[in-house]
C-alpha cells in the first residue's frame, strides 16, 4: 500500500523557518517525481514545488521561489521542504504528492494526509 | 501560467440526478495532462480521472471525463450520496507549470 506521511508542520512567526518532511513507503520511491501542494484553510489547491526522481531538478511556484527549497533522499525514501522567510499567506495544509509521468501523460496519483503550517505573530 | 476556471462554483442536486461540471483553460491544455480530483470534507484530494477521460483505480463508471483544448467536462451519471464533495480540475503543463481550478462544490439538494 502506498503511504505518504507528512510531518513538521507547526506555528511559526513571520520571517521564520520550518522544515517539512514526507516519509514514503509502499512503492519504489526513486521511480517517481514528488511534489508539495498546499491548501489554505477553506480554500483551493496550490501547487508549491516539484523535485525530479533523481533530485537534481526542482521547480517552484512563483509565490515561493527563492524562499522554499525542496529536496529528497532516495536512500531514506523521504521528501523535504525547507521553508524560509515565512509569510502569513503561507499558512496552509501542506500535502506530499506523488507525481506520475509517462511520454503521454502526467498526473498526481497519491496524496498524503497533510501537515498544517500556521504563520502568525 | 494556465488559469483553470471551473463552473459552476456550487452545484446543488439530488441523489440519482446527473451532474455536469466544467473546467475552462485560459490556453490549450494537453489532454494527457488534464485530471479531475475529488476532495471530501477532512480528507486529502484523491485522483478521480487522469488523461482527460481515464478513471483512476477503483473509480466507478458513473464518473466520466471528456474534452480537449480549453474545455473539459466531468459527468457523474447518477449521483450517489458519497459523491457529494468538492471537485478540482488540474493541468500539468510544460516547464512544468501545474495549476488547479478553484473547485466546484457539489451539494445535496
Amino acid at each position: 500500500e502506498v503511504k505518504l506521511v507528512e510531518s513538521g508542520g507547526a506555528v511559526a512567526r513571520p520571517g521564520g523557518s520550518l522544515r517539512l518532511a514526507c516519509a514514503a513507503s509502499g512503492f519504489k520511491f526513486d521511480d517517481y517525481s514528488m511534489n508539495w501542494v498546499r491548501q489554505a484553510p477553506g480554500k483551493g489547491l496550490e501547487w508549491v514545488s516539484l523535485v525530479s526522481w533523481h533530485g537534481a531538478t526542482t521547480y517552484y511556484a512563483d509565490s515561493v521561489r527563492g524562499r522554499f527549497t525542496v529536496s529528497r533522499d532516495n536512500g531514506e525514501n523521504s521528501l523535504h521542504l525547507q521553508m524560509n522567510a515565512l509569510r502569513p499567506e503561507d499558512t496552509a495544509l501542506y500535502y506530499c504528492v506523488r507525481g506520475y509521468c509517462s511520454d503521454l501523460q502526467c498526473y498526481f496519483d497519491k496524496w498524503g494526509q497533510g501537515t498544517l503550517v500556521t504563520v502568525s505573530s | 501560467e494556465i488559469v483553470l476556471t471551473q463552473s459552476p462554483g456550487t452545484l446543488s442536486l439530488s441523489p440519482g440526478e446527473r451532474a455536469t461540471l466544467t473546467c475552462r483553460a485560459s490556453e490549450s491544455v494537453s489532454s494527457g495532462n488534464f485530471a479531475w480530483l475529488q476532495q471530501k470534507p477532512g480528507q486529502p484530494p484523491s485522483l478521480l480521472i487522469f488523461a482527460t477521460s481515464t478513471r483512476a483505480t477503483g473509480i466507478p463508471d458513473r464518473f466520466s471525463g471528456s474534452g480537449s483544448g480549453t474545455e473539459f467536462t466531468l459527468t457523474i451519471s447518477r449521483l450517489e450520496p458519497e459523491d457529494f464533495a468538492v471537485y478540482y480540475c488540474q493541468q500539468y503543463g510544460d516547464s512544468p507549470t501545474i495549476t488547479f481550478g478553484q473547485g466546484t462544490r457539489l451539494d445535496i439538494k
Side-chain angles (χ1 to χ4, degrees):
Chain A
E1 179 192 3
V2 172
K3 281 190 176 179
L4 300 169
V5 180
E6 302 91 340
S7 61
V11 178
R13 302 282 193 191
S17 298
L18 282 175
R19 183 174 173 82
L20 305 184
C22 171
S25 61
F27 65 102
K28 194 172 185 298
F29 186 63
D30 56 7
D31 273 355
Y32 295 85
S33 63
M34 295 297 297
N35 299 265
W36 290 98
V37 175
R38 67 186 181 184
Q39 186 170 34
K43 302 297 184 182
L45 302 169
E46 180 188 16
W47 171 75
V48 171
S49 183
L50 177 154
V51 59
S52 59
W53 66 270
H54 44 69
T57 308
T58 57
Y59 302 93
Y60 299 92
D62 290 344
S63 57
V64 307
R65 188 175 294 113
R67 300 187 298 122
F68 290 9
T69 302
V70 64
S71 61
R72 65 189 294 162
D73 183 336
N74 287 343
E76 295 290 328
N77 290 349
S78 64
L79 174 72
H80 294 92
L81 186 67
Q82 178 66 44
M83 309 166 66
N84 297 332
L86 283 164
R87 304 168 179 169
E89 55 264 35
D90 295 321
T91 295
L93 190 61
Y94 283 74
Y95 294 107
C96 170
V97 186
R98 189 174 81 171
Y100 174 84
C101 273
S102 67
D103 287 345
L104 299 176
Q105 53 194 225
C106 287
Y107 50 89
F108 290 173
D109 67 343
K110 296 293 182 185
W111 296 64
Q113 292 293 317
T115 187
L116 183 62
V117 171
T118 303
V119 183
S120 173
S121 54
Chain B
E1 172 182 295
I2 296 177
V3 176
L4 300 179
T5 302
Q6 293 186 239
S7 60
T10 302
L11 185 58
S12 297
L13 293 170
S14 300
E17 290 193 293
R18 181 185 185 91
T20 302
L21 288 66
T22 299
C23 180
R24 290 188 172 85
S26 59
E27 52 190 272
S28 185
V29 173
S30 166
S31 294
N33 296 342
F34 185 87
W36 290 95
L37 306 166
Q38 179 191 64
Q39 186 174 33
K40 297 181 180 179
Q43 296 184 22
S46 60
L47 180 64
L48 195 65
I49 297 239
F50 63 93
T52 298
S53 59
T54 304
R55 285 185 298 276
T57 303
I59 301 302
D61 62 6
R62 64 180 179 272
F63 291 90
S64 63
S66 63
S68 64
T70 61
E71 185 153 339
F72 298 84
T73 300
L74 173 69
T75 302
I76 311 171
S77 59
R78 280 192 327 275
L79 285 165
E80 297 287 342
E82 61 268 27
D83 299 338
F84 292 92
V86 179
Y87 292 86
Y88 294 95
C89 57
Q90 179 202 0
Q91 69 85 28
Y92 194 128
D94 295 333
S95 301
T97 55
I98 297 158
T99 53
F100 298 91
Q102 83 279 18
T104 290
R105 180 181 303 279
L106 181 54
D107 285 342
I108 298 178
K109 190 172 181 180

